[in-house]
């Protein structure tokens, strides 16, 4: 009875009553036996294609990729052209015999420049000095920076003052640092020799930048003075990130201060060590202006590095193809350091 009354109330617009058993939702989609719904026009290929195209266009319009394109697109094109394009062109020049005059001849490409590098005594000396500079400078800077970070981390007075003093050399350019240390190493009026004479150690005074035995060591010491403060800041941030509970637990277990840092604290500073080491290696590879101010284009076989050799060969001797080959070796050295670091960062999910 109630179903008949409800059917009478739901009449069609033409006034005809809804018959009993007739679906009251005639406009609804037909329901399949598998629980799905048959959409009107689903069998029409043109209708489904239009719907798919519309959905693709809608997704593109709402895509963050397109929204951000005006911001990163132009810089990306500039970087691609002026950085990666320049690297590719430099590699192409290294395969020619171009001497900087006229247009390079790309019709006959060869690896003669790279073969010549392997038998060039000046390249071998510069490569050896570059490796020594990278390894010794990076290792000493990390050790000194870690030692300074541990000292500053002891809640000493005037901590900010000491931190600023140690970090200040990092703000100086290589040119300023080279001029400063050229005066420090001066054999007559330099502060180092004057201090040695003042304490009666005249026999230890040296011509630090003229004697081949001390050239590379003097360069490494000056660069270490400039960048050890940066390592200190990196290590200090790593030390402050370690929970204080670990210090207390180690001391409760009877660990001495040396054992505490060697077994508990320093192993947790691997990320800080890796980050600082990569930056130090990159700056060591860019130490051209430091050596150029000190020695010019001819620092001698005991202090020559690849960046200075590249400049000397390309701009002083006008052997552009040979200089481009040296530049590619420098690029591969930098890539061999930065590439694994970026890969590790990606594996850790930090990129």
């Amino acid at each position: 009875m109630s179903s008949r009354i409800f059917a009478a109330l739901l009449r069609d617009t033409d006034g005809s009553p809804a018959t009993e058993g007739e679906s009251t939702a005639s406009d609804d989609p037909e329901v399949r036996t598998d629980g799905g719904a048959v959409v009107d026009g689903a069998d029409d290929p043109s209708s489904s294609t239009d719907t798919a195209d519309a959905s693709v266009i809608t997704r593109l319009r709402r895509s963050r990729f397109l929204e951000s394109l005006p911001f990163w697109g132009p810089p990306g094109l500039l970087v691609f052209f002026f950085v990666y394009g320049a690297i590719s062109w430099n590699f192409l020049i290294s395969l020619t015999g171009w001497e900087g005059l006229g247009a390079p001849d790309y019709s006959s490409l060869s690896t003669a420049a790279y073969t010549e590098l392997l038998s060039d005594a000046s390249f071998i000396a510069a490569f050896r000095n570059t490796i020594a500079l990278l390894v010794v400078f990076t290792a000493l800077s990390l050790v000194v920076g870690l030692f300074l970070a541990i000292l500053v981390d002891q809640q000493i007075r005037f901590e900010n003052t000491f931190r600023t003093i140690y970090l200040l050399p990092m703000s100086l350019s290589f040119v300023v640092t080279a001029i400063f240390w050229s005066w420090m190493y001066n054999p007559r009026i330099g502060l180092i020799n004057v201090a040695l004479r003042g304490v009666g150690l005249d026999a230890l005074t040296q011509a630090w930048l003229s004697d081949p035995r001390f050239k590379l060591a003097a360069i490494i010491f000056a660069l270490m003075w400039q960048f050890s403060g940066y390592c200190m800041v990196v290590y200090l941030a790593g030390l402050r990130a370690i929970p204080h509970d670990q210090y207390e637990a180690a001391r409760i277990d009877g660990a001495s201060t040396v054992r505490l840092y060697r077994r508990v604290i320093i192993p947790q500073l691997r990320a800080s060590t890796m980050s600082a080491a990569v930056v130090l290696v990159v700056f060591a590879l860019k130490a051209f202006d430091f050596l150029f101010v000190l020695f010019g284009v001819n620092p001698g076989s005991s202090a020559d590095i690849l960046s200075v050799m590249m400049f000397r060969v390309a701009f002083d001797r006008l052997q552009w193809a040979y200089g481009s080959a040296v530049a590619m070796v420098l690029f591969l050295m930098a890539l061999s350091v930065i590439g694994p670091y970026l890969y590790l960062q990606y594996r850790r999910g930090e990129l």
Side-chain angles (χ1 to χ4, degrees), residues 34 45 52 80 82 87 127 146 153-154 166 177 208-209 223 292:
D34 60 354
F80 181 81
F82 288 104
I87 293 173
F127 184 82
L146 177 61
D153 192 47
Q154 303 303 313
Y166 292 139
T177 306
W208 302 102
L209 297 180
L223 293 178
F292 185 79

Side-chain angles (χ1 to χ4, degrees), residues 267-280:
Q268 300 187 59
L269 298 176
R270 293 178 181 175
S272 301
T273 301
M274 184 178 297
S275 301
V278 170
V279 173
L280 292 175

Side-chain angles (χ1 to χ4, degrees), residues 271 274-275 341-351:
M274 184 178 297
S275 301
Y341 172 74
L342 294 179
Y343 176 74
L344 291 176
Q345 295 292 95
Y346 173 76
R347 289 290 302 271
R348 294 176 180 175
E350 298 178 3
L351 281 181

Side-chain angles (χ1 to χ4, degrees), residues 190-234:
L191 182 61
I192 295 177
N193 284 348
V194 169
L196 291 175
R197 295 190 191 101
V199 296
L201 299 176
D202 298 54
L204 297 180
T205 59
Q206 301 290 337
W208 302 102
L209 297 180
S210 301
D211 194 332
R213 297 175 300 171
F214 302 106
K215 274 187 178 182
L216 189 60
I219 294 170
I220 292 174
F221 185 82
L223 293 178
M224 182 187 67
W225 169 83
Q226 184 172 8
F227 289 97
S228 58
Y230 165 76
C231 298
M232 178 206 67
V233 173
V234 174

